[in-house]
Amino acid sequence: MLSTSPGIAPPVGWVADAGARGIALALRPLQALMTIPTVLFLGALAAMLLRHPDVPFYEIDRLAFVLLLLGVTAQTVVAGQRLLVLERATWPMLGLTLLAVTSVIGQPFDCQTWSLLAAKFIVPFALFHLAALVFQEERRLEHFELFALVVLAYLCFTSIAFMVGAKSLIFPRFILDESLGYHVDRARGPLLQAVANGVSLNLLGLLALHSVLRGRIRGLKATVLVASLPVAILATMTRAVWLSFGVSVGVLILRSHNRRLRRVCVALALLGAVFLLIVLSFDDQRQALTERLHESGPLEFREAVYTGGWQMFLEKPFTGWGVNQMPSELARHVSGYKEKELYPHNTYLELLVEHGVLGLALYVWLMWELLRLGRCRIPRGESNGLLNHQFHAMWPVLLGVYWVNASVVVMNYQFVNGLLFTMAGMLAAQRHRAVRDFGRAVSRPLQTVRESAA
């Protein structure tokens, strides 16, 4: 037998102790991540906004997304909570993701294809469920609200700086790189696409109006932010963005039951009209707006692309052509254009062509389930929070902005999708809290009756 001198630990015990210390040391970074789930979530959204796929920056958005997954997963497991709560919206999202993954697996590996797959399906699917786990407290919801206001201020500043020619103030600098993205002559923001920038401004602008009504932002800050919104929208020089913004403000004026919201929206419309008159007083700006309004080239191009896309759908109405196969194939179905690749500029058409009737049906089902989230009961104690009755009333308008712009651009932008599905995840978590509170409220009288009978 092995004998040891008094006071000397056995070798096996020493090794076990050292191994335990090493494991504990290795897990410290994970423990740190578990303590900051909100920071990880908002950091991931910020990385998706500021890192464009065509800009080499060490895949910072993927790194932030992985850290978010690790932190939230570890925290949920340690807390003994369910990691994946199945929602009604989970099933169409899962169906779309499986369709897309099945299509990509059958193709040769292509980094761009997998990036598009992640941006359109995987990331929104994950953020929807992660948001339901992270944003369950009003304090965390307020952190998200503050983040949205900061991003809106940044996007407004960037758009206005581009419009007035103060390009030295624009950050990141790749926004000005004409070899990247689209719409180099417009305020396209870090997403490098004017429609995507406009959708973000519109969604965040509606959230800002909600914050003004809640008193989260007031005084000069509220005035400057609200006044800059129509200016930034106009700077995108995109008719679909103008239309969706005007319709969303008009719907709130005509349909909202909140008088303060109607007054704020009327003031916003008047500010937009005044600014438009100011812009029209400058010859160069007036000429640019007039040319943009009368420009028919994009409409003719879209008509040709839509016709070619419909022909592709008729060839494979049930199986579809597969993820990212449409650009090269569409060029063969459209005459009069010499480009080797053409894009559909329509989310719904792309779904039809890539995944057939089933893909579009799943997407319509998904959007219907997202719409239903705004009709759920609000728990006690949250009537004055971010997800109050006014937010529920604005939810269809937020979705409408997304739907309208999805008809003129393919929504493969991580930040736009992530923003929308994050808010949807918040509403899903709130619905569970409401159901739980309702169950407790019902069980208490029953328990009292049982005790009285006993």
Side-chain angles (χ1 to χ4, degrees):
M1 294 181 60
L2 264 177
S3 61
T4 57
S5 302
I8 300 178
V12 175
W14 180 85
V15 172
D17 184 57
R21 291 181 180 180
I23 293 174
L25 185 63
L27 289 177
R28 283 185 181 178
L30 183 59
Q31 292 175 338
L33 294 178
M34 292 166 55
T35 63
I36 53 171
T38 309
V39 174
L40 292 175
F41 202 106
L42 300 181
L45 284 178
M48 293 173 189
L49 172 69
L50 296 175
R51 193 266 174 182
H52 189 271
D54 293 331
V55 179
F57 191 48
Y58 306 107
E59 305 291 344
I60 188 65
D61 54 336
R62 296 288 181 257
L63 175 61
F65 181 66
V66 170
L67 291 177
L68 171 63
L69 282 175
L70 289 175
V72 176
T73 300
Q75 184 196 45
T76 304
V77 171
V78 170
Q81 300 176 345
R82 291 179 61 183
L83 184 59
L84 179 62
V85 179
L86 298 178
E87 306 286 345
R88 292 173 62 101
T90 299
W91 302 111
M93 275 194 286
L94 185 60
L96 282 168
T97 304
L98 290 177
L99 274 179
V101 170
T102 302
S103 169
V104 172
I105 289 177
Q107 303 174 16
F109 177 80
D110 180 68
C111 183
Q112 182 182 14
T113 299
W114 279 98
S115 295
L116 291 173
L117 173 63
K120 291 191 287 189
F121 301 112
I122 297 176
V123 170
F125 178 87
L127 292 184
F128 174 81
H129 293 90
L130 291 174
L133 295 172
V134 173
F135 298 104
Q136 295 193 12
E137 303 172 6
E138 190 60 36
R139 175 177 56 86
R140 294 182 177 182
L141 290 171
E142 290 177 353
H143 291 161
F144 170 81
E145 184 180 22
L146 178 60
F147 170 81
L149 292 173
V150 171
V151 173
L152 175 62
Y154 160 71
L155 292 179
C156 286
F157 176 81
T158 302
S159 297
I160 295 173
F162 187 90
M163 185 178 186
V164 300
K167 296 183 178 181
S168 61
L169 302 177
I170 294 177
F171 176 85
R173 300 302 296 173
F174 69 75
I175 296 176
L176 303 175
D177 191 340
E178 297 184 358
S179 65
L180 299 176
Y182 307 94
H183 307 151
V184 295
D185 57 336
R186 310 182 201 174
R188 57 183 187 165
L191 298 173
L192 302 186
Q193 216 276 357
V195 178
N197 189 40
V199 176
S200 302
L201 286 166
N202 205 340
L203 294 176
L204 294 169
L206 292 174
L207 286 176
L209 294 180
H210 180 58
S211 299
V212 170
L213 294 178
R214 294 181 60 234
R216 290 284 295 167
I217 178 173
R218 60 186 67 184
L220 182 61
K221 294 179 181 178
T223 303
V224 171
L225 191 59
V226 172
S228 63
L229 180 59
V231 184
I233 290 290
L234 184 62
T236 63
M237 300 297 288
T238 305
R239 287 169 288 193
V241 172
W242 297 343
L243 176 63
S244 62
F245 177 73
V247 170
S248 62
V249 173
V251 167
L252 292 177
I253 293 174
L254 298 175
R255 302 290 295 177
S256 176
H257 299 291
N258 189 311
R259 292 183 179 180
R260 286 187 61 203
L261 178 59
R262 291 202 300 268
R263 288 197 294 266
V264 172
C265 289
V266 169
L268 184 62
L270 292 176
L271 284 172
V274 170
F275 176 74
L276 180 60
L277 292 176
I278 294 175
V279 169
L280 292 176
S281 65
F282 296 93
D283 293 337
D284 54 344
Q285 296 291 346
R286 181 173 64 252
Q287 182 179 358
L289 287 173
T290 302
E291 291 177 353
R292 184 68 189 130
L293 286 172
H294 292 87
E295 190 176 3
S296 60
L299 298 178
E300 295 172 354
F301 172 76
R302 290 178 188 275
E303 182 180 0
V305 168
Y306 293 167
T307 301
W310 183 253
Q311 292 175 356
M312 290 181 64
F313 163 69
L314 293 178
E315 293 179 16
K316 297 182 179 181
F318 301 107
T319 60
W321 291 77
V323 175
N324 203 30
Q325 299 300 302
M326 192 174 181
S328 58
E329 291 293 337
L330 187 58
R332 301 189 183 100
H333 288 74
V334 177
S335 59
Y337 296 92
K338 299 180 180 180
E339 289 84 353
K340 295 182 180 180
E341 291 186 345
L342 294 176
Y343 296 89
H345 297 280
N346 187 299
T347 299
Y348 316 112
L349 178 61
E350 185 186 68
L351 284 166
L352 267 177
V353 174
E354 289 189 348
H355 305 295
V357 175
L358 179 59
L360 182 61
L362 287 171
Y363 192 78
V364 172
W365 179 16
L366 170 60
M367 291 299 123
W368 168 250
E369 295 300 339
L370 295 187
L371 179 63
R372 293 180 70 254
L373 290 173
R375 302 177 182 177
C376 298
R377 187 190 302 269
I378 297 177
R380 292 183 180 182
E382 296 188 23
S383 58
N384 295 322
L386 174 65
L387 305 180
N388 59 13
H389 291 281
Q390 186 56 54
F391 184 91
H392 282 241
M394 295 178 68
W395 179 240
V397 182
L398 290 165
L399 284 175
V401 170
Y402 184 86
W403 295 340
V404 169
N405 287 278
S407 65
V408 296
V409 70
V410 177
M411 286 297 180
N412 54 9
Y413 298 93
Q414 285 189 111
F415 176 76
V416 178
N417 291 331
L419 180 65
L420 184 78
F421 281 86
T422 293
M423 292 187 288
M426 294 175 181
L427 289 172
Q430 186 187 52
R431 180 173 63 181
H432 285 283
R433 293 195 298 272
V435 171
R436 184 173 60 248
D437 290 352
F438 180 75
R440 291 173 180 173
V442 171
S443 63
R444 287 171 186 169
L446 293 176
Q447 183 66 25
T448 303
V449 171
R450 292 193 189 99
E451 293 175 354
S452 299

